[in-house]
């Protein structure tokens, strides 16, 4: 249950950093490079839509996976994938003119997928993986008696995660780097991944002792 509460902080922080800083980062970058406000908004919104477009099939995928493995193991895997998505954004030096990763043609139309498209897709999968796996864990850990209070506590810790991302992430965005909030959340996901692995190891050792 304690792991689930920590997961509530991290998973809600994941959602918050995307909704708060992702489009803002891209809008500012596009404006800095001379795009009009309308063009900058269109570009940032397009990438945000990409994030959410990959979150939808990601929700189906993680729900299918969660029912077939241990919930703590599912959380560990989800947090590892999410961490990769957040930390990857720190390597995108120019999100507006990012390097092409894949290029192909459909109906005589050339389509190029850049590092930023890859980052947005990875971000969408990661945020939904982390969120649903955390909710699934608290659902399985909460006792029948007092379930409402336990899940209410999960929501409380989720609110703390949102608050921390808004406060610390905002400072990092303004004073360190626009991608620093994503890096911060990425390391939070890595920490939770390691904590979940430790719990799995401890529980397995306890069963064999």
């Amino acid at each position: 249950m304690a792991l689930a509460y920590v997961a509530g902080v991290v998973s809600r922080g994941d959602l918050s950093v995307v909704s708060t800083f992702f489009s803002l980062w891209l809008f500012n970058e596009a404006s800095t490079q001379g795009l009009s406000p309308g063009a900058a908004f269109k570009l940032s919104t397009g990438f945000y839509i990409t994030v959410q477009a990959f979150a939808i099939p990601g929700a189906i995928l993680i729900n299918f996976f969660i029912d077939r493995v241990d919930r703590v193991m599912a959380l560990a895997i989800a947090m590892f994938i999410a961490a990769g998505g957040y930390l990857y954004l720190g390597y995108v030096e120019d999100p507006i003119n990012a390097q092409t990763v894949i290029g192909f043609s459909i109906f005589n139309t050339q389509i190029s997928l850049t590092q930023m498209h890859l980052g947005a897709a990875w971000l969408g999968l990661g945020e939904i993986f982390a969120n649903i796996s955390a909710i699934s864990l608290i659902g399985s850990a909460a006792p029948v008696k007092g379930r409402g209070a336990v899940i209410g506590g999960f929501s409380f810790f989720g609110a703390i995660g949102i608050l921390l991302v808004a406060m610390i992430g905002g400072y990092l965005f303004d004073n360190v780097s626009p991608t620093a909030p994503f890096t911060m959340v990425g390391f939070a996901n890595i920490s939770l991944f390691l904590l979940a692995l430790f719990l799995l190891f401890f529980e397995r050792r306890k069963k064999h002792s």
Side-chain angles (χ1 to χ4, degrees), residues 4 39 46 70 80 127:
D70 180 88
F80 183 78
E127 71 162 346

Side-chain angles (χ1 to χ4, degrees), residues 12-138:
R12 287 297 191 273
D14 286 0
L15 294 175
S16 179
V17 78
V18 174
S19 61
T20 304
F21 298 110
F22 185 74
S23 294
L24 178 61
W25 167 44
L26 294 174
F27 182 86
N28 288 347
E29 287 288 339
S31 299
T32 300
Q33 296 190 27
L35 273 70
S36 67
F41 179 78
K42 181 179 179 180
L43 185 143
S44 61
T45 302
F47 278 115
Y48 186 78
I49 290 173
T50 301
V51 172
Q52 302 309 320
F54 276 85
I56 294 171
I60 299 173
L61 181 62
I62 191 63
N63 277 314
F64 177 82
F65 178 73
I66 281 174
D67 290 335
R68 286 159 177 78
V69 298
D70 180 88
R71 298 296 170 90
V72 177
M73 176 62 75
L75 179 73
I77 294 172
M79 289 300 164
F80 183 78
I81 294 172
Y86 291 107
L87 295 175
Y88 177 81
L89 292 182
Y91 291 96
V92 182
E93 296 181 359
D94 185 352
I96 309 305
N97 303 298
Q99 182 179 352
T100 299
V101 177
I102 302 173
F104 55 93
S105 179
I106 297 180
F107 302 116
N108 296 323
T109 301
Q110 188 66 29
I111 297 176
S112 298
L113 299 181
T114 67
Q115 290 178 328
M116 198 58 216
H117 288 101
L118 175 60
W122 197 346
L123 205 63
L125 291 175
E127 71 162 346
I128 202 67
F129 281 6
N131 190 50
I132 292 180
S133 63
I135 293 173
S136 173
L137 182 60
I138 192 61

